[in-house]
Amino acid sequence: MRAESFLQTHRTWVGAVAAVLPLVVCAALAPFRESVANTDVALALVLLIVAAASTGVRWAGVVAAASSAVWFDFFLTRPYHQLTIANREDVETAVLLVTVGVAVSEIAHWGRRQQARASRQEGYLSGVVRTSAAVAAGRESPDSLTSHVAHQITDVLRIDDCRFDPSGGNGGDGMATMDGDGHVTRHGRPLDVDRYGLPTDAETSLVVRSGGVVHGRFLLVAATEVVHPTLEQRQVAATLASQLGAALSRPSTQS
Protein backbone atom coordinates (compact mmCIF):
# COMPACT_ATOMS: atom_id res chain seq x y z
CA MET A 1 0.00 0.00 0.00
CA ARG A 2 2.86 2.36 0.88
CA ALA A 3 4.56 1.57 -2.44
CA GLU A 4 1.36 2.38 -4.36
CA SER A 5 1.03 5.68 -2.48
CA PHE A 6 4.66 6.54 -3.29
CA LEU A 7 4.15 5.74 -6.98
CA GLN A 8 1.00 7.85 -7.11
CA THR A 9 2.81 10.76 -5.45
CA HIS A 10 5.71 10.32 -7.87
CA ARG A 11 3.38 10.41 -10.89
CA THR A 12 1.63 13.51 -9.54
CA TRP A 13 4.90 15.39 -9.06
CA VAL A 14 6.24 14.34 -12.44
CA GLY A 15 3.02 15.47 -14.11
CA ALA A 16 3.08 18.81 -12.29
CA VAL A 17 6.71 19.48 -13.23
CA ALA A 18 6.05 18.42 -16.84
CA ALA A 19 3.20 20.94 -17.02
CA VAL A 20 4.92 23.85 -15.21
CA LEU A 21 8.51 23.70 -16.51
CA PRO A 22 7.64 24.69 -20.13
CA LEU A 23 5.74 27.68 -18.68
CA VAL A 24 8.81 28.74 -16.71
CA VAL A 25 11.12 28.34 -19.71
CA CYS A 26 8.85 30.22 -22.13
CA ALA A 27 8.21 33.01 -19.62
CA ALA A 28 11.96 33.35 -18.98
CA LEU A 29 12.68 33.58 -22.70
CA ALA A 30 9.86 36.00 -23.46
CA PRO A 31 11.99 39.16 -22.88
CA PHE A 32 14.46 37.86 -25.45
CA ARG A 33 11.95 36.75 -28.09
CA GLU A 34 13.16 39.32 -30.61
CA SER A 35 16.72 38.01 -30.46
CA VAL A 36 16.12 34.27 -29.94
CA ALA A 37 14.80 32.27 -32.88
CA ASN A 38 11.62 30.31 -32.20
CA THR A 39 13.25 27.21 -33.66
CA ASP A 40 15.92 27.40 -30.94
CA VAL A 41 13.21 27.73 -28.30
CA ALA A 42 11.40 24.75 -29.79
CA LEU A 43 14.56 22.65 -29.55
CA ALA A 44 14.90 23.56 -25.87
CA LEU A 45 11.29 22.57 -25.29
CA VAL A 46 11.86 19.27 -27.09
CA LEU A 47 14.61 18.51 -24.57
CA LEU A 48 12.10 19.09 -21.76
CA ILE A 49 9.61 16.80 -23.48
CA VAL A 50 12.21 14.04 -23.87
CA ALA A 51 13.21 14.43 -20.22
CA ALA A 52 9.57 14.13 -19.12
CA ALA A 53 9.00 11.08 -21.31
CA SER A 54 12.09 9.38 -19.86
CA THR A 55 10.78 9.53 -16.28
CA GLY A 56 8.75 6.34 -16.69
CA VAL A 57 5.39 8.13 -16.47
CA ARG A 58 3.85 7.42 -19.85
CA TRP A 59 1.66 10.52 -20.11
CA ALA A 60 4.27 12.96 -18.75
CA GLY A 61 5.79 13.54 -22.18
CA VAL A 62 2.37 14.32 -23.65
CA VAL A 63 1.64 16.76 -20.82
CA ALA A 64 5.01 18.46 -21.36
CA ALA A 65 4.33 18.64 -25.11
CA ALA A 66 0.87 20.17 -24.68
CA SER A 67 2.18 22.66 -22.11
CA SER A 68 5.09 23.56 -24.39
CA ALA A 69 2.77 24.20 -27.34
CA VAL A 70 0.43 26.39 -25.25
CA TRP A 71 3.11 28.54 -23.62
CA PHE A 72 5.19 28.73 -26.80
CA ASP A 73 2.09 30.19 -28.44
CA PHE A 74 1.27 32.49 -25.52
CA PHE A 75 4.71 34.02 -24.90
CA LEU A 76 6.70 33.64 -28.11
CA THR A 77 4.40 33.95 -31.12
CA ARG A 78 2.52 36.92 -32.47
CA PRO A 79 0.10 38.19 -31.25
CA TYR A 80 1.79 37.90 -27.85
CA HIS A 81 -0.09 36.93 -24.69
CA GLN A 82 -2.91 35.43 -26.71
CA LEU A 83 -3.58 31.80 -27.59
CA THR A 84 -3.51 32.69 -31.26
CA ILE A 85 -0.76 32.14 -33.84
CA ALA A 86 -0.56 34.35 -36.89
CA ASN A 87 2.58 32.93 -38.47
CA ARG A 88 2.26 29.65 -40.37
CA GLU A 89 5.77 28.52 -39.38
CA ASP A 90 4.92 29.02 -35.71
CA VAL A 91 1.75 26.95 -36.17
CA GLU A 92 3.83 24.15 -37.65
CA THR A 93 6.31 24.40 -34.77
CA ALA A 94 3.52 24.13 -32.18
CA VAL A 95 2.02 21.12 -33.95
CA LEU A 96 5.44 19.49 -34.15
CA LEU A 97 5.96 19.99 -30.41
CA VAL A 98 2.80 18.02 -29.66
CA THR A 99 3.63 15.37 -32.27
CA VAL A 100 7.14 14.94 -30.94
CA GLY A 101 5.81 14.65 -27.39
CA VAL A 102 3.39 11.86 -28.28
CA ALA A 103 5.96 10.04 -30.40
CA VAL A 104 8.74 10.25 -27.80
CA SER A 105 6.39 9.13 -25.03
CA GLU A 106 5.28 6.08 -27.00
CA ILE A 107 8.84 5.18 -28.00
CA ALA A 108 10.00 5.49 -24.38
CA HIS A 109 7.07 3.36 -23.21
CA TRP A 110 7.85 0.74 -25.84
CA GLY A 111 11.51 0.71 -24.78
CA ARG A 112 10.57 0.19 -21.13
CA ARG A 113 8.24 -2.68 -22.11
CA GLN A 114 11.04 -4.33 -24.07
CA GLN A 115 13.43 -3.88 -21.16
CA ALA A 116 10.90 -5.36 -18.75
CA ARG A 117 10.31 -8.29 -21.09
CA ALA A 118 14.04 -8.94 -21.37
CA SER A 119 14.33 -8.81 -17.59
CA ARG A 120 11.49 -11.32 -17.21
CA GLN A 121 13.05 -13.63 -19.78
CA GLU A 122 16.34 -13.48 -17.90
CA GLY A 123 14.47 -14.35 -14.70
CA TYR A 124 12.73 -17.32 -16.36
CA LEU A 125 16.03 -18.60 -17.73
CA SER A 126 17.70 -18.15 -14.36
CA GLY A 127 14.95 -20.20 -12.70
CA VAL A 128 15.28 -23.01 -15.23
CA VAL A 129 19.06 -23.01 -14.87
CA ARG A 130 18.85 -23.16 -11.06
CA THR A 131 16.40 -26.04 -11.24
CA SER A 132 18.57 -27.86 -13.77
CA ALA A 133 21.55 -27.41 -11.48
CA ALA A 134 19.60 -28.79 -8.52
CA VAL A 135 18.45 -31.78 -10.58
CA ALA A 136 21.98 -32.44 -11.90
CA ALA A 137 23.50 -32.22 -8.43
CA GLY A 138 21.06 -34.80 -7.07
CA ARG A 139 21.62 -33.62 -3.50
CA GLU A 140 18.11 -32.36 -2.76
CA SER A 141 15.40 -34.64 -1.45
CA PRO A 142 12.32 -35.22 -3.63
CA ASP A 143 10.19 -33.10 -1.28
CA SER A 144 12.70 -30.23 -1.29
CA LEU A 145 13.09 -30.33 -5.07
CA THR A 146 9.32 -30.50 -5.59
CA SER A 147 8.81 -27.51 -3.27
CA HIS A 148 11.52 -25.58 -5.13
CA VAL A 149 9.90 -26.22 -8.53
CA ALA A 150 6.44 -25.37 -7.19
CA HIS A 151 7.77 -22.02 -5.97
CA GLN A 152 9.40 -21.35 -9.35
CA ILE A 153 6.18 -22.15 -11.22
CA THR A 154 4.19 -19.87 -8.91
CA ASP A 155 6.57 -16.99 -9.65
CA VAL A 156 6.71 -17.61 -13.40
CA LEU A 157 2.93 -17.84 -13.89
CA ARG A 158 2.17 -15.16 -11.24
CA ILE A 159 -0.51 -17.37 -9.70
CA ASP A 160 -1.71 -17.69 -6.10
CA ASP A 161 -0.32 -21.12 -5.36
CA CYS A 162 1.10 -24.30 -6.85
CA ARG A 163 0.99 -27.62 -5.00
CA PHE A 164 2.13 -31.09 -5.96
CA ASP A 165 -0.31 -33.99 -6.15
CA PRO A 166 1.63 -37.28 -6.29
CA SER A 167 -1.47 -39.24 -7.29
CA GLY A 168 -1.56 -37.54 -10.68
CA GLY A 169 -5.36 -37.51 -10.71
CA ASN A 170 -7.61 -39.69 -12.78
CA GLY A 171 -8.10 -37.31 -15.69
CA GLY A 172 -11.84 -37.26 -15.12
CA ASP A 173 -12.09 -34.38 -12.67
CA GLY A 174 -12.92 -31.85 -15.42
CA MET A 175 -10.16 -29.40 -14.53
CA ALA A 176 -8.10 -27.62 -17.15
CA THR A 177 -4.81 -29.22 -18.19
CA MET A 178 -1.58 -27.56 -19.29
CA ASP A 179 0.50 -29.68 -21.67
CA GLY A 180 4.25 -29.77 -22.24
CA ASP A 181 4.02 -27.06 -24.91
CA GLY A 182 2.26 -24.64 -22.58
CA HIS A 183 -1.17 -25.00 -24.22
CA VAL A 184 -4.20 -25.31 -21.94
CA THR A 185 -7.27 -27.42 -22.62
CA ARG A 186 -10.49 -27.92 -20.71
CA HIS A 187 -13.13 -30.54 -21.46
CA GLY A 188 -11.10 -31.46 -24.51
CA ARG A 189 -11.19 -27.94 -25.95
CA PRO A 190 -8.35 -25.40 -26.22
CA LEU A 191 -8.55 -22.57 -23.71
CA ASP A 192 -7.47 -19.12 -24.90
CA VAL A 193 -5.38 -18.13 -21.87
CA ASP A 194 -4.12 -14.94 -23.52
CA ARG A 195 -7.70 -13.72 -23.74
CA TYR A 196 -9.54 -15.35 -20.84
CA GLY A 197 -6.71 -16.18 -18.45
CA LEU A 198 -6.29 -19.31 -16.37
CA PRO A 199 -9.48 -20.68 -14.77
CA THR A 200 -10.34 -19.13 -11.42
CA ASP A 201 -13.16 -21.53 -10.55
CA ALA A 202 -10.92 -24.62 -10.51
CA GLU A 203 -7.29 -25.64 -10.42
CA THR A 204 -5.26 -26.22 -13.57
CA SER A 205 -3.35 -29.48 -13.81
CA LEU A 206 0.27 -29.61 -15.00
CA VAL A 207 1.36 -33.24 -15.26
CA VAL A 208 4.86 -34.19 -14.14
CA ARG A 209 6.15 -36.98 -16.32
CA SER A 210 9.35 -38.35 -17.77
CA GLY A 211 9.73 -40.97 -20.48
CA GLY A 212 5.98 -41.52 -20.56
CA VAL A 213 5.84 -42.26 -16.81
CA VAL A 214 3.59 -39.94 -14.77
CA HIS A 215 5.01 -39.02 -11.37
CA GLY A 216 2.21 -36.73 -10.31
CA ARG A 217 0.94 -33.30 -11.20
CA PHE A 218 1.12 -29.72 -10.09
CA LEU A 219 -2.21 -28.09 -9.27
CA LEU A 220 -2.10 -24.43 -10.30
CA VAL A 221 -4.31 -22.10 -8.27
CA ALA A 222 -5.36 -18.73 -9.71
CA ALA A 223 -8.43 -17.95 -7.63
CA THR A 224 -8.05 -14.38 -6.39
CA GLU A 225 -7.63 -12.73 -9.79
CA VAL A 226 -7.54 -13.59 -13.48
CA VAL A 227 -3.96 -14.02 -14.67
CA HIS A 228 -2.88 -14.16 -18.30
CA PRO A 229 0.53 -15.88 -18.42
CA THR A 230 1.99 -15.76 -21.90
CA LEU A 231 2.71 -18.91 -23.88
CA GLU A 232 6.38 -18.35 -23.11
CA GLN A 233 5.68 -18.30 -19.37
CA ARG A 234 3.56 -21.44 -19.62
CA GLN A 235 6.29 -23.21 -21.58
CA VAL A 236 8.81 -22.32 -18.87
CA ALA A 237 6.45 -23.79 -16.24
CA ALA A 238 6.08 -26.96 -18.32
CA THR A 239 9.88 -27.18 -18.66
CA LEU A 240 10.30 -26.89 -14.90
CA ALA A 241 7.75 -29.68 -14.39
CA SER A 242 9.60 -31.82 -16.95
CA GLN A 243 12.88 -31.28 -15.12
CA LEU A 244 11.26 -32.44 -11.91
CA GLY A 245 9.93 -35.50 -13.73
CA ALA A 246 13.46 -36.34 -14.88
CA ALA A 247 14.75 -36.04 -11.33
CA LEU A 248 11.97 -38.23 -9.91
CA SER A 249 12.75 -40.88 -12.50
CA ARG A 250 16.14 -41.56 -10.97
CA PRO A 251 16.25 -44.73 -8.88
CA SER A 252 18.13 -42.93 -6.11
CA THR A 253 15.38 -40.26 -5.97
CA GLN A 254 12.53 -42.75 -5.88
CA SER A 255 14.02 -44.81 -3.07
Side-chain angles (χ1 to χ4, degrees):
M1 191 69 179
R2 184 176 298 177
E4 291 180 2
S5 177
F6 172 79
L7 288 175
Q8 184 58 44
T9 302
H10 170 71
R11 294 190 189 99
T12 301
W13 275 104
V14 169
V17 172
V20 171
L21 202 53
L23 164 62
V24 174
V25 170
C26 291
L29 291 175
F32 310 99
R33 55 195 169 207
E34 298 300 332
S35 58
V36 178
N38 280 355
T39 52
D40 294 336
V41 176
L43 287 174
L45 293 174
V46 165
L47 291 177
L48 295 181
I49 295 168
V50 172
S54 66
T55 59
V57 180
R58 184 177 186 180
W59 44 268
V62 178
V63 170
S67 178
S68 296
V70 168
W71 299 118
F72 174 80
D73 174 11
F74 188 81
F75 286 108
L76 301 167
T77 66
R78 298 178 185 276
Y80 300 126
H81 301 153
Q82 296 182 33
L83 293 179
T84 304
I85 302 177
N87 189 301
R88 178 180 175 181
E89 291 183 357
D90 290 337
V91 172
E92 293 174 350
T93 301
V95 171
L96 282 174
L97 283 173
V98 176
T99 303
V100 166
V102 173
V104 169
S105 297
E106 289 304 309
I107 291 171
H109 180 66
W110 177 84
R112 286 190 293 272
R113 284 205 314 265
Q114 296 304 309
Q115 184 178 20
R117 181 181 179 185
S119 178
R120 288 195 302 268
Q121 289 175 333
E122 183 179 356
Y124 302 156
L125 181 59
S126 177
V128 172
V129 169
R130 285 198 302 270
T131 302
S132 297
V135 170
R139 291 192 293 266
E140 292 193 36
S141 66
D143 289 344
S144 176
L145 190 58
T146 300
S147 177
H148 171 79
V149 173
H151 180 73
Q152 291 287 331
I153 291 175
T154 301
D155 285 347
V156 167
L157 298 180
R158 301 180 182 275
I159 55 178
D160 297 323
D161 192 23
C162 173
R163 60 187 179 86
F164 184 68
D165 173 18
S167 70
N170 56 19
D173 44 25
M175 69 174 57
T177 301
M178 185 182 299
D179 63 22
D181 293 327
H183 297 100
V184 179
T185 57
R186 192 173 192 182
H187 304 300
R189 298 180 179 178
L191 183 64
D192 188 349
V193 178
D194 292 334
R195 182 175 181 180
Y196 298 108
L198 290 174
T200 57
D201 59 340
E203 298 163 321
T204 299
S205 172
L206 174 58
V207 176
V208 176
R209 61 163 57 90
S210 178
V213 178
V214 175
H215 298 281
R217 63 178 177 174
F218 284 112
L219 298 177
L220 315 177
V221 181
T224 59
E225 63 176 331
V226 178
V227 294
H228 301 79
T230 64
L231 178 60
E232 181 183 55
Q233 290 172 284
R234 303 194 304 268
Q235 288 173 339
V236 171
T239 299
L240 291 168
S242 177
Q243 289 180 329
L244 176 63
L248 297 179
S249 297
R250 294 178 178 176
S252 59
T253 308
Q254 293 175 336
S255 59

